[in-house]
């Protein structure tokens, strides 16, 4: 997981330099071996299904769940089944043959922050196998406003200084604009006040946010099933993804890897000419 540092300008405006990725759920998943044992007991003992749950090699629960789904398709629980010791070959075969639907049986929920609105705008284009909840710029006021500095600005003193000045200015503009809108709301502007009381603050925020730049931070919770996660990593951590997004893609990959190492074992990290990382696989979009 990645917990980036939060920096502040001389005027106290908060900003981050890299994406934070936190695996929220599940943290300690378990597979229901007892339930499977009870299910398998109902078949002819000659089939040898009872050995399935007594496999001496335990693999992570998420992987076991995917493996069970694949093996259920062919009732491969008996003597000729693929044992857990051969899990890597089993999952490689699934990836190679494009039998990716079994990967949809496990999902992972990530908190992603330290990412700009321009990048989350790209991420929310993923629809299939993905759930999204993102900070509302209409509901949340300027008290939580933070910004994200692009990699290109961080090592260039002039661009870095420009960034600091820009976010100071944006922060001030946002608050000044909010104040002016609030005054007009109180003095009866119809566009700003003709609504239920609960909507009034939103009416100010939704107009004030017009001055926020693309480098405004936009915290987001995203849940992906493993098939969708692979697709997102392949698109967002590829060499053709842009640097800020690619850093996120790499971090998603590195956070998920210990939990589903066999499902991602075909991914290799390559170093591009500019020294940044990208993920490469021969089995895209399983
Ligand atoms: C390098 C790069 C550059 C890009 N440039 C642009 C750009 O200039 N302009 C722009 O608008 N977008 C751009 N995009 C966004 C891109 O077009 C996709 O919208 C985004 O990456 C989501 O991926 P996806 O379409 O695979 O959808 P996902 O929701 O991730 O879907 C996964 C897969 O499910 C299937 N699927 C999902 N929904 C449907 C459906 N409705 N019908 C049929 N099959 C479906 C597809 O096979 C799809 O690939 C860019 C993306 C990348 C990575």
């Amino acid at each position: 997981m990645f917990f980036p540092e939060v920096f502040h300008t001389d005027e106290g405006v908060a900003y981050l330099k890299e994406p934070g990725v936190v695996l929220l759920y599940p943290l300690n998943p378990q597979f229901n071996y007892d339930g499977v044992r009870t299910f398998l007991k109902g078949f002819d003992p000659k089939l040898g299904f009872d050995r399935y749950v007594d496999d001496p090699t335990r693999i992570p629960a998420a992987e076991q769940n995917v493996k069970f789904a694949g093996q259920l398709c062919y009732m491969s629980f008996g003597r000729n089944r693929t044992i857990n010791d051969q899990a890597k070959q089993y999952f490689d075969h699934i990836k190679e043959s494009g039998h990716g639907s079994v990967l949809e049986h496990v999902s992972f929920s990530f908190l992603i922050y330290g990412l700009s609105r321009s990048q989350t705008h790209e991420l929310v284009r993923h629809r299939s196998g993905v759930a999204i909840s993102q900070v509302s710029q209409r509901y949340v006021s300027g008290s939580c406003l933070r910004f994200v500095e692009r990699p290109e600005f961080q090592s260039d003193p002039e661009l870095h200084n420009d960034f600091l000045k820009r976010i100071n200015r944006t922060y001030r503009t946002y608050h000044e604009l909010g104040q002016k809108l609030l005054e007009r709301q109180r003095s009866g502007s119809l566009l700003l006040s003709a609504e239920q009381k609960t909507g009034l603050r939103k009416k100010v925020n939704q107009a004030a946010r017009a001055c926020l730049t693309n480098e405004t931070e936009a915290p987001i919770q995203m849940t992906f099933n493993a098939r969708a996660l692979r697709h997102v990593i392949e698109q967002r951590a590829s060499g053709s993804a842009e640097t800020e997004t690619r850093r996120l893609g790499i971090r998603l990959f590195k956070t998920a890897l210990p939990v589903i190492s066999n499902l991602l074992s075909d991914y290799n990290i390559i170093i591009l000419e500019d020294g940044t990382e990208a993920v490469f696989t021969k089995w895209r979009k399983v």
Side-chain angles (χ1 to χ4, degrees), residues 121-130 227-228 231-232 234-236 238-242 245 284-285:
H121 181 74
E122 292 190 4
L123 281 181
V124 300
R125 294 292 301 277
H126 293 287
R127 308 145 283 174
S128 186
V130 180
R227 190 184 203 183
H231 180 63
V232 169
E234 282 158 29
Q235 282 204 336
R236 304 304 171 187
S238 88
S240 48
E242 72 119 283
T245 304
R284 289 178 64 87
K285 213 171 174 188

Side-chain angles (χ1 to χ4, degrees), residues 22-117:
V22 183
L23 178 62
L24 295 173
Y25 179 88
L27 276 189
N28 297 303
Q30 292 194 343
F31 182 74
N32 189 351
Y33 289 100
D34 288 342
V36 171
R37 187 190 301 279
T38 307
F39 165 64
L40 294 178
K41 264 188 184 162
F43 293 91
D44 185 346
K46 289 205 281 289
L47 292 166
F49 283 177
D50 53 329
R51 296 175 200 187
Y52 185 76
V53 285
D54 295 325
D55 193 318
T57 306
R58 286 290 188 242
I59 55 177
E63 294 183 1
Q64 181 64 69
N65 200 40
V66 170
K67 188 162 174 278
F68 179 79
Q71 293 182 308
L72 179 68
C73 295
Y74 305 120
M75 290 300 281
S76 300
F77 301 118
R79 286 174 201 86
N80 296 330
R81 74 189 189 280
T82 307
I83 55 174
N84 282 350
D85 214 25
Q86 300 160 331
K88 183 181 177 309
Q89 293 94 305
Y90 182 83
F91 291 120
D92 280 356
H93 177 66
I94 283 190
K95 289 177 238 171
E96 191 175 13
S97 60
H99 190 189
S101 63
V102 290
L103 303 187
E104 295 171 17
H105 287 288
V106 288
S107 294
F108 301 95
S109 201
F110 297 92
L111 165 66
I112 298 168
Y113 64 103
L115 202 67
S116 70
R117 190 88 176 176

